[in-house]
Amino acid sequence: MHIFRPFRIACATLLVCAAVPVFGQTPQALFYMTNSPDSVRDFLAHASQIDLLVPTWYSVDQDGLVSGGPDPLVLQAAKAAHVPVEPIVSNQAATQVSLHLLLQRPEAQTQMIDGLLREAKQNGYLGFQFDFENIAWTDRDALSTLVARAASALHAAGLQLSIATVPAAPGHPGATAFSSWLYANWRGAYDLDALAKSVDLICLMTYDQQTRWTVPGPVAGWHWTIENLDFALQSVPKSKLSLGIPLYGYHWYTGAPVNDHPNPTADYISAPDALDLAKTWGGQLQWDPVDRTAWFWFYRDDQREWVFFTDQRTFSERYDLVKQRGLAGFCSWVLGQEDPAIWAVLPNHK
């Protein structure tokens, strides 16, 4: 988890988490995992440094039909390492229309909740994470109602539920057309006050500040991250808030014209691939002291290309912020994309 995160299933997240740490304790390390071999391998290699695994295993359609299932190897390894598993449940069609239909139909919601309870019982999950994104702002109250209903049912069964939300500061559209579009379709559907009353944890997805839809820039600039964290803390207790830390980056370049129109574009890129790209084309790794992020540029065929990504220092700065603010922990998208050096930053629970 998304038009902004191509490898993430498009949706918005309700996320259930393991024991939430209090101030002074080591922050909870929540990592997302896809079904890609790289993602699975990284979980198997670093399970002792992960407190909660959130794999992209399930989706739900407009009728409430829950589809998906666990990776047996991952489930076995998680159990052996005592890592709770809380799968994502995403919006299958990844469209506003299909999610709107689910939000407006109580019988479909009942079908979904029954499916989640069944899967949790069969596989021993801690709970579920709803990853519902691309939601119209007009469905804000309907989303809060669904979350409250699902949380009540899961809690009654001894399970957890939490929600990952798109950053929404300052809480209304800005002056640009892009800001208005972003609020209407991505940011405006999350009522943090209402959601915090229902769920066990809110994962604030503080990444994708700049994407393929924007000009080059940091995936999660420092002041943008702080602004959104402060905004969320107006509604969400620290003990229920997990800060998003991206593990990936974007590579901006000039694409071939489409129908005689300009086509500047960007691709999602892993930290290891970013480092290899810099070596190949002579890019000099740089540190942005304002946005506290790694970046570089290089020329190819007379055109300048830019890469912003998360290296160990970028990750460490945000991990320290989590500790300084006494938050529940952090949530990182996604295993298989990270700079291997980040594992030296995190404690080992063995």
Side-chain angles (χ1 to χ4, degrees):
M1 155 338 152
H2 197 319
I3 62 171
F4 296 136
R5 273 160 286 140
F7 290 95
R8 186 168 187 172
I9 299 177
C11 45
T13 342
L14 277 170
L15 160 68
V16 189
C17 298
V20 175
V22 296
F23 182 80
Q25 293 183 335
T26 301
Q28 180 192 62
L30 183 159
F31 284 89
Y32 296 99
M33 187 197 76
T34 68
N35 289 324
S36 78
D38 285 344
S39 199
V40 172
R41 278 194 292 266
D42 274 4
F43 169 68
L44 298 177
H46 300 287
S48 63
Q49 294 174 275
I50 295 171
D51 297 313
L52 179 61
L53 180 69
V54 181
T56 59
W57 285 346
Y58 291 92
S59 63
V60 61
D61 69 11
Q62 64 192 36
D63 298 316
L65 181 64
V66 174
S67 302
D71 178 320
L73 176 62
V74 169
L75 207 56
Q76 182 181 13
K79 184 176 181 179
H82 307 289
V83 178
V85 177
E86 181 182 284
I88 276 177
V89 180
S90 69
N91 179 27
Q92 188 177 72
T95 67
Q96 288 186 358
V97 172
S98 64
L99 185 57
H100 175 77
L101 291 173
L102 177 65
L103 294 175
Q104 297 298 323
R105 299 165 65 194
E107 68 280 7
Q109 296 170 22
T110 298
Q111 177 74 20
M112 179 191 70
I113 292 168
D114 289 346
L116 300 182
L117 293 172
R118 179 194 67 239
E119 291 297 310
K121 181 178 180 180
Q122 289 179 356
N123 298 296
Y125 299 144
L126 178 71
F128 283 95
Q129 171 188 78
F130 291 175
D131 188 9
F132 298 150
E133 301 171 36
N134 188 16
I135 312 172
W137 72 275
T138 50
D139 275 333
R140 176 185 176 101
D141 291 343
L143 176 64
S144 297
T145 299
L146 171 62
V147 172
R149 184 181 177 191
S152 178
L154 291 173
H155 289 159
L159 301 169
Q160 293 186 15
L161 184 64
S162 67
I163 182 166
T165 64
V166 177
H172 55 78
T176 67
F178 182 77
S179 174
S180 179
W181 171 83
L182 197 59
Y183 183 86
N185 296 283
W186 292 89
R187 293 179 173 176
Y190 306 100
D191 183 340
L192 294 180
D193 283 314
L195 296 172
K197 291 180 174 65
S198 299
V199 302
D200 299 281
L201 187 79
I202 288 181
C203 253
L204 185 65
M205 294 187 286
T206 36
Y207 30 82
D208 278 357
Q209 177 188 8
Q210 311 292 140
T211 68
R212 64 187 179 91
W213 296 85
T214 72
V215 297
V219 179
W222 186 255
H223 294 289
W224 177 83
T225 298
I226 296 294
E227 179 187 15
N228 279 286
L229 174 57
D230 288 342
F231 181 78
L233 286 172
Q234 295 175 21
S235 303
V236 185
K238 292 181 179 181
S239 62
K240 281 192 172 188
L241 190 61
S242 183
L243 184 71
I245 304 179
L247 301 179
Y248 59 94
Y250 283 100
H251 169 209
W252 284 266
Y253 58 93
T254 304
V258 177
N259 297 324
D260 293 326
H261 287 83
N263 184 29
T265 190
D267 289 334
Y268 186 89
I269 191 169
S270 70
D273 287 350
L275 294 169
D276 287 345
L277 194 64
K279 292 177 184 177
T280 299
W281 295 98
Q284 299 297 311
L285 295 182
Q286 301 186 52
W287 178 253
D288 185 325
V290 175
D291 280 313
R292 303 194 191 186
T293 190
W295 72 289
F296 62 91
W297 58 267
F298 59 90
Y299 277 101
R300 176 162 46 181
D301 295 334
D302 302 323
Q303 296 294 308
R304 179 176 283 201
E305 303 182 19
W306 289 264
V307 175
F308 286 79
F309 71 106
T310 300
D311 65 352
Q312 183 193 52
R313 183 177 179 183
T314 308
F315 180 89
S316 296
E317 293 267 346
R318 286 146 183 81
Y319 182 60
D320 288 344
L321 176 63
V322 170
K323 292 187 286 186
Q324 291 163 7
R325 292 297 192 94
L327 304 180
F330 69 89
C331 46
S332 277
W333 181 268
V334 57
L335 288 170
Q337 302 294 307
E338 76 278 8
D339 179 350
I342 72 161
W343 298 109
V345 176
L346 298 174
N348 195 309
H349 304 311
K350 280 188 176 178

